[in-house]
Amino acid sequence: MLKLVFLLLMATGLPVAIAMAGSSLLYIVFSGSLPPFAVVHRMIGGIDSFPLLAVPFFILAGNLMNNAGITNRIYNFALALVGWLKGGLGHVNVVGSVIFAGMSGTAIADAAGLGTIEIKAMKDHGYELEFAVGVTAASATLGPIIPPSLPFVIYAMMANVSVGALFLSGILPGLLMALLMMLTVAYFAHKNGWGGDIEFTLGRFGKAILELAIVAAWPLALWGLVQHGGLPAQPVVFGGLVVLFAADRFFGFQAVLPIMTPVLLIGGMTTGLFTPTEGAIAACVWAMVLGLFWYRTLSWKMFTKVCLDTVETTATVMFIVAAASIFGWMLTATGVTAAIAAWVLGVTQQAWVFLLLANLLMLFVGCFLEPTAAITILVPILLPIARQLGVDPVHFGLVMVLNLMIGLLHPPMGMVLFVLARVAKLSVERTTVAILPWLVPLLVSLVILTYIPSISLWLPRISGMVN
Amino acid sequence: MDLDTGPKVMGDDGQFHATDEAVDLSHTTIEAWAALGLFWLLGLTVFYQFFTRYVLNDSAAWTEEIARYLLIGTVFVGATIGVAKNNHIQVDLLYRYLPPAAARALATLVDLLRVAFCGAMTVLTVQMMQKMGSYKMTIVDLPMNIVYGVCGLGFAMMTLRSLWVMRVHLRRGYSALERPESTMEDR
């Protein structure tokens, strides 16, 4: 009854959050089991959680980094690194997205902001618009797989697992996906006989490698000084920062400081130095220092705009989470989830069959629903079954988010598809066809990641976050 | 950005030179500014916590609780932005297959349901505040009704905004459900 009302309301086009909270409210009023204001109490209680504080700050950090001053630096860095390969700007597109995925947690914002720049550059350089749109769409899915990730925070809250473990589980799969995408770019380049987009010069390539080395060495050096040198932490970190910024001014690094963001974030969370929420705040402070004071490419007016966008996205996402907490609670209390679990377990007792069916279901749901909404509906239904069949909840989270990201790329509800169609001024039909070949590397990685859980679970295991 | 006009993003020097679009804040509604204020307070609170924990090695206990409540306020006041822009996440699949008259009737029903839901939530929040009367926060000695009151104000604003959205839809004769590419600015 509850589910029927909800599906009916959602089909009419009522906002998903209102459909969830509204159907719960109707059910409570008609069953008379609880005072109706319990709905409000439960909604507010649903977002009253410390881990969820990470949501607005990861959104803000991504938005702050997504301004021209920083994006130019990151693209120039990626260009120096891989722009000379055959199909150069296609590779730059993927590498740029990997770096950005380490700062931002959403796919749609990445597609809108970076996508515009990427597509414009590729078009200017004579690439077909279809190829540019396809590679941009595919690489946008990396945003929420490589940490930080908004969908992972929501999943972690719904599934009651550690955000840190989920973040770590996304690193290797993200790199695997990027590799498969670069192979696809190489295939297109080979087929069409494309060359590189810049000359290979040892100086330029060497400088990019050197910057990469500095990004890796600086945190390791600080860690070594504190851990093995026995020096006090605060002065070392402060001194290290002064040295780093002085070196940046003196040598004029291209992208050392922006690329440091993901390294600090992931490193800090792996070693247990930061909680994800603190990591999110640190990333925001870092981005503000770079944009407002160091590179001075972010005006205060722009900063206000970025904050307003952040508030809007946060409210939209968290309003769904609030509504889902009353809806999920009602689903469990009325025995709907138990009934679905019993039915599925009656069909199969095999984990691999369940994963296959779950993948198909999640791909299907992902075509119609935005990821946050889909996660809040799917987790209470699917996760109990997954647990019963011995599927690790962290692994299941990664598979779920990847499915939902792929759903963003195709009709009828693919938000990334719509955004890119608007940016490139292509029809939705042509954009769909343009993205089609890029579903191959994505679906291949989905199969690999679904059936080889150790790729996602290896990093969380060695850092002791998952048994 | 318009792809066809404007200078090349990647110049002849082989470097990227993208520029940001101009910022226009004139369409920002008053609830949006209020939510932004709450968000900045939230930012200051969590930064203060971060600072006390890592620099002073002694984190202030009140910050965590206040931060959670500020987040709740930001969400329920900020949700009005989505109502005013009518861009909360919704499924418009059905509308592609409905005849125009039926689509119009269903879209109007959706508008009515939204107003009814926001109105009901406002009333329920007030009811809850009456029940909770003297209930205090866990660590900080302040009444919980401050938090619930902000949420109630948010729901009240959502009710007004959804009424306004419905009026715009009735006047111009279509909603975003029937024309997904339209915004509230179109008349």
Side-chain angles (χ1 to χ4, degrees), chain A residues 272-308:
Chain A
L273 195 63
F274 300 149
T275 63
T277 308
E278 288 162 348
I281 294 153
C284 284
V285 172
W286 188 261
M288 279 169 68
V289 168
L290 292 190
L292 289 169
F293 305 114
W294 193 251
Y295 298 138
R296 292 168 184 263
T297 49
L298 190 69
S299 66
W300 284 99
K301 196 174 177 189
M302 181 106 175
F303 175 72
T304 311
K305 166 87 167 48
V306 163
C307 287
L308 278 167

Side-chain angles (χ1 to χ4, degrees), chain A residues 423-447:
Chain A
V423 166
K425 296 205 192 91
L426 277 178
S427 69
V428 171
E429 286 74 20
R430 275 183 68 191
T431 315
T432 310
V433 175
I435 293 177
L436 219 51
W438 294 92
L439 292 178
V440 175
L442 287 172
L443 290 173
V444 169
S445 32
L446 178 63
V447 173

Side-chain angles (χ1 to χ4, degrees), chain A residues 12 48 76 123 273 278, chain B residues 2 4 16 53-54 68 95:
Chain A
T12 61
D48 187 1
N76 287 333
K123 197 179 167 209
L273 195 63
E278 288 162 348
Chain B
D2 196 329
D4 296 321
F16 276 82
R53 181 171 161 196
Y54 287 98
R68 280 188 282 122
Y95 289 79

